[in-house]
């Protein structure tokens, strides 16, 4: 039925800022409305910052979160709150998990992770 469709979150890796760095993510993550979903991202080398972007149909990609891998500090953008999105570092300096909470249909989109050696927006 129209009201019961599940959010489908697509994850696409985006590498930049570090020479020869590659980023790996699962291609599709599906979550249940009202539930949560985790999108993981693993870099091929140790990185200082991982930035997350959301691209939804009809609009430009937007940065939604930045994780400082050394201080475990999370910066959110676009009005997102801690009870909606958060991120945590993996067991090493290579991986990161983005957690999307209280899933809604409006959370559908393509989620990109990117690694930069600065907190600055690369473009």
């Amino acid at each position: 039925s129209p009201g019961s469709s599940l959010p489908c979150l697509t994850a696409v890796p985006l590498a930049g800022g570090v020479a020869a760095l590659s980023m790996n993510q699962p291609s599709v993550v599906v979550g249940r409305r009202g539930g949560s979903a985790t999108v993981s991202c693993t870099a091929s080398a140790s990185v200082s910052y991982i930035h997350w972007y959301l691209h939804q149909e009809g609009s430009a990609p937007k940065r939604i979160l930045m994780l400082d891998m050394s201080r475990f500090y999370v910066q959110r953008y676009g009005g997102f709150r801690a009870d909606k999105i958060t991120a945590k570092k993996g067991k090493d300096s290579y991986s990161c998990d983005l957690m999307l909470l209280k899933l809604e249909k409006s959370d559908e989109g393509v989620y990109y992770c990117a690694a930069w050696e600065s907190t600055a927006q690369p473009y």
Side-chain angles (χ1 to χ4, degrees), residues 84-115:
K84 182 61 182 175
I85 61 167
T86 192
K88 67 176 182 180
K89 179 183 169 183
K91 293 183 173 65
D92 49 42
S93 298
Y94 296 67
S95 60
C96 167
D97 289 332
L98 177 73
M99 282 82 72
L100 300 137
L101 313 169
K102 302 177 185 175
L103 287 173
E104 304 168 63
K105 181 74 175 165
S106 59
D107 293 323
E108 280 192 345
V110 180
Y111 290 79
Y112 299 85
C113 69

Side-chain angles (χ1 to χ4, degrees), residues 30-51:
V30 178
R32 192 178 293 275
R33 186 180 297 230
S36 62
T38 299
V39 183
S40 58
C41 175
T42 304
S44 61
S46 179
V47 294
S48 299
Y49 304 94
I50 290 183
H51 301 260

Side-chain angles (χ1 to χ4, degrees), residues 4 11 22 42 51 59 67 83 94 96 108 117 119:
S4 63
S22 62
T42 304
H51 301 260
S59 62
L67 175 66
D83 62 356
Y94 296 67
C96 167
E108 280 192 345
E117 289 307 297
T119 58

